[in-house]
Amino acid sequence: MFSSAEQQRIIAEYENASREEKDSILRREGLAQHAALIATLDLRRLGHSSPIPIALLADTAAALLADEFQVGDDHQLIKAVSGAIYEHADQQPDSHAPALVPAPSTSTTSYHAGDRPDEKILRARCYYVPPAGFWEAVSRHAQTAEDLHAIGRSAASRLRLRHADQLYRRAGNAGRAEARWDLAQLREEAGDLDGAKNLYLEAATAGSPQALSHLAELREKAGDVDGAKNLYLQAADAGDEDALWEVARLHEETGDPDGAEQVAQRAADSGDVGPLSSLAWMRESAGDDENAERLYRRALDTGHTYALWGLARLREKADDRAGAEQFARQALRSGNSAVMRELAIFREDASDLDGAEPLYRQAGDAGDPYTSFDLSRIREKAGDPDGAETIARQAAESGDSDPSWHLARMRELADNYASAKELYLLAGKAGNSEAMRSLAWMLEKQGDLAGAEQYNHQAKDAGNLDAIWDPARLREESGDPDEAENIARQAAESGDTSILWPLATLREERGDPDDAERLAFLATDAGDTRALRELAEIRHKDPRWEKLLQFGLDPDGRLSDPWW
């Protein structure tokens, strides 16, 4: 990159140079190579994956260089650089590609930067949002619907909605059905409901089952139940596996149980038993156990063995424990241990530990993977801490760290911190990074911030991405906001913006709205709008924030003027 002083020197020299001297300045400063490189980097990091057409390279390079040098797109230097990129191909625009960057492709009309870009440059450009000319060049010259869609999503993730809209539209017109869906969602979220409905209709006409189901949902919200049913049925015919359940639900909710059963049976006849079981659950929840059992049995008759859990639960609630266990054992014979475990949990939740434990053991004998976890918990609740710990340690030796982790949490809640720490460390040694994070939280609550940071770092080093937030939060809460932000920035520059987002909301909660806003906009520029959307929810009475979500931002970060 050129420093500000270097940019001013180059511009001054170029404006006052003769024709021959101008060419010499371009070559000496490597401006065409520099512009082509940053264009390649930005195209790649924003989602363009195919070989880059020469016209796209030249126009994006010109837009980026103009933005870097703070001159207009029509400045003579920018035009010269764009011309040099074309000229290097020894062809007119849209023809051969120049070998201005590493790893040229074999294509004669484009080039492909195959090597991984320089990490330092990528990190430096993490928060950089290209100017309007860049996005417009992509819309003009990108040759695949996939590239248009991908760059459109990058624009949307930075709340550059005007450019996302344009790119989605071009991708949709080029045959990318997902882009039509994204475009409709963008308009709906922006408040353009009429435009969104028309776009959903376009997507539905093009055969998108997702769009048909969403239109049905909109009809249902508007009170048009019959219209919603018809659209859900169309979505089912187009391949939406969940749509028939929505039709069955609407029949049930509007007092047509026979219609609901007919639709659920239609789904079952097509191989989807889910609607039958879900309808049975609706009736069970409404207290109609007799009809619920009948539907669970129909689901079972079609081969849906998990319906046995519904039947077992109904028997258990009716105090027919033997009948409940009979259904659970039937599931075991079918290779399904989950029903027996669910029945055990049901009894455990009712404080029937003696009734639950043998069921957990039966599930374990059938190969249930959660048995050690369940039995250690039961033993702890039953007042047998030694037995609970023996089970947890045996599981850890076999590579299952969850029992020791959860037992540690139980001990922590019981204020047995020494034992909790020992068990957290046991789980961590067995590879459970979340246990290290839990230990850090426990130590933090005890005031041991150094210990908390130590185990957070261990969790992070073990690959636990959530643990990256904890050191930033600790720094923030201990009065070191600069270091907290430094941690968040380092993570964002490595591709993880999940720390900038909560740090921004934390500062909002702590009474620093200006800094919260600054961090939220920073995260947005890096491709994560969550913090900005949260602040917009908090400040929804401020017209500026309402406009922000409606029309988004211009590339330079200012609020966009209305564009739809």
Side-chain angles (χ1 to χ4, degrees):
M1 304 294 285
F2 295 93
S3 68
S4 178
E6 288 173 325
Q7 293 169 9
Q8 293 176 17
R9 172 184 58 78
I10 292 170
I11 291 170
E13 284 185 21
Y14 194 86
E15 289 177 344
N16 294 298
S18 66
R19 180 182 180 85
E20 293 75 16
E21 290 171 334
K22 290 180 189 293
D23 292 340
S24 175
I25 291 170
L26 289 183
R27 288 192 301 272
R28 183 190 74 209
E29 302 293 345
L31 290 173
Q33 289 84 350
H34 168 73
L37 175 62
I38 59 174
T40 302
L41 290 175
D42 281 351
L43 285 166
R44 291 294 181 235
R45 75 181 175 90
L46 295 172
H48 192 290
S49 59
S50 66
I52 302 171
I54 180 59
L56 178 57
L57 173 69
D59 283 8
T60 53
L64 293 171
L65 193 68
D67 193 47
E68 181 183 343
F69 276 62
Q70 293 296 292
V71 295
D73 291 345
D74 59 349
H75 190 278
Q76 55 181 299
L77 176 65
I78 304 305
K79 288 183 174 180
V81 167
S82 178
I85 293 175
Y86 280 125
E87 198 175 307
H88 201 83
D90 195 29
Q91 289 287 335
Q92 294 301 311
D94 294 308
S95 222
H96 289 236
L100 292 173
V101 296
S105 73
T106 57
S107 168
T108 59
T109 59
S110 58
Y111 78 88
H112 188 296
D115 294 337
R116 184 166 178 79
D118 186 286
E119 288 293 334
K120 288 183 180 178
I121 300 177
L122 279 178
R123 290 173 73 93
R125 297 183 81 77
C126 168
Y127 311 106
Y128 175 69
V129 177
F134 174 94
W135 306 102
E136 291 163 0
V138 174
S139 183
R140 284 195 306 272
H141 299 304
Q143 295 180 350
T144 73
E146 291 75 15
D147 287 331
L148 286 161
H149 189 203
I151 300 282
R153 282 186 164 173
S154 289
S157 72
R158 288 158 176 79
L159 217 65
R160 272 56 185 190
L161 301 183
R162 183 197 306 268
H163 298 295
D165 183 273
Q166 181 183 35
L167 289 159
Y168 284 156
R169 194 173 296 278
R170 272 218 60 210
N173 290 341
R176 184 79 167 174
E178 286 179 84
R180 289 182 182 274
W181 170 257
D182 283 345
L183 177 59
Q185 280 198 310
L186 184 151
R187 285 300 184 97
E188 183 181 355
E189 290 171 2
D192 179 14
L193 298 184
D194 290 337
K197 285 179 183 177
N198 290 333
L199 289 163
Y200 284 127
L201 280 171
E202 287 179 20
T205 303
S208 168
Q210 189 180 32
L212 284 163
S213 287
H214 195 74
L215 278 173
E217 184 181 338
L218 293 176
R219 288 278 179 91
E220 182 182 349
K221 287 179 180 178
D224 181 4
V225 174
D226 289 337
K229 287 178 189 175
N230 289 332
L231 285 166
Y232 278 130
L233 287 170
Q234 291 177 48
D237 291 338
D240 187 336
E241 296 178 353
D242 298 323
L244 282 178
W245 160 240
E246 300 297 344
V247 180
R249 175 184 58 78
L250 286 174
H251 277 288
E252 185 77 3
E253 290 176 349
T254 54
D256 181 12
D258 292 339
E261 288 190 31
Q262 289 172 10
V263 175
Q265 188 61 51
R266 171 183 162 182
D269 293 341
S270 300
D272 180 12
V273 193
L276 266 178
S277 287
S278 297
L279 187 57
W281 170 248
M282 279 187 76
R283 295 193 180 172
E284 180 184 348
S285 300
D288 185 3
D289 288 355
E290 181 180 349
N291 273 304
E293 183 167 344
R294 180 173 57 81
L295 290 173
Y296 282 132
R297 289 184 181 278
R298 279 172 62 180
L300 179 61
D301 290 342
T302 63
H304 188 54
T305 59
Y306 197 68
L308 286 164
W309 165 229
L311 292 168
R313 186 174 59 248
L314 288 173
R315 292 293 87 219
E316 184 78 5
K317 289 194 298 184
D319 292 327
D320 179 7
R321 293 164 67 90
E325 291 182 27
Q326 182 179 349
F327 283 124
R329 282 193 292 273
Q330 183 178 342
L332 284 181
R333 290 193 295 272
S334 301
N336 184 341
S337 64
V339 174
M340 186 66 79
R341 181 171 186 260
E342 292 283 5
L343 182 57
I345 291 172
F346 197 83
R347 291 187 181 177
E348 181 184 350
D349 288 345
S351 300
D352 180 9
L353 302 185
D354 291 337
E357 186 166 352
L359 301 185
Y360 282 130
R361 292 190 183 277
Q362 289 182 57
D365 291 341
D368 190 89
Y370 301 104
T371 301
S372 294
F373 165 54
D374 293 329
L375 290 176
S376 66
R377 184 183 66 250
I378 281 283
R379 288 288 85 218
E380 184 79 1
K381 286 182 176 180
D384 180 13
D386 292 340
E389 194 164 326
T390 297
I391 294 169
R393 288 184 179 278
Q394 288 174 348
E397 289 170 4
S398 301
D400 181 4
S401 61
D402 278 352
S404 49
W405 174 35
H406 287 282
L407 185 56
R409 295 170 69 181
M410 292 178 74
R411 301 262 168 106
E412 180 186 347
L413 290 172
D415 296 335
N416 189 352
Y417 299 118
S419 180
K421 181 176 182 179
E422 186 179 347
L423 288 164
Y424 279 136
L425 290 172
L426 177 65
K429 187 177 180 181
N432 191 324
S433 63
E434 198 60 41
M436 293 292 91
R437 193 164 176 242
S438 297
L439 175 54
W441 275 88
M442 185 182 82
L443 294 176
E444 181 187 342
K445 286 186 286 187
Q446 293 175 322
D448 182 3
L449 299 186
E453 192 159 343
Q454 173 191 345
Y455 291 115
N456 272 325
H457 279 298
Q458 287 188 26
K460 180 171 73 74
D461 292 343
N464 190 316
L465 296 180
D466 290 333
I468 300 174
W469 159 238
D470 295 321
R473 179 183 52 77
L474 278 170
R475 294 290 184 177
E476 182 78 8
E477 293 176 348
S478 63
D480 189 359
D482 291 341
E483 180 56 23
E485 184 172 335
N486 183 47
I487 293 170
R489 280 178 172 270
Q490 287 179 9
E493 289 160 14
S494 297
D496 180 8
T497 55
S498 64
I499 302 174
L500 275 173
W501 162 43
L503 185 59
T505 53
L506 182 59
R507 292 195 179 173
E508 176 79 7
E509 292 167 3
R510 294 166 71 90
D512 190 354
D514 291 341
D515 221 40
E517 187 171 322
R518 178 182 63 83
L519 290 175
F521 276 98
L522 191 68
T524 299
D525 288 346
D528 188 337
T529 63
R530 289 175 293 181
L532 208 59
R533 291 182 184 279
E534 280 199 16
L535 293 187
E537 286 284 326
I538 294 169
R539 305 174 187 185
H540 65 278
K541 294 182 180 179
D542 183 340
R544 185 173 75 100
W545 286 85
E546 183 179 355
K547 183 181 176 185
L548 171 67
L549 295 185
Q550 274 191 304
F551 304 111
L553 299 168
D554 285 337
D556 62 6
R558 291 181 295 183
L559 290 176
S560 288
D561 291 327
W563 50 268
W564 51 261

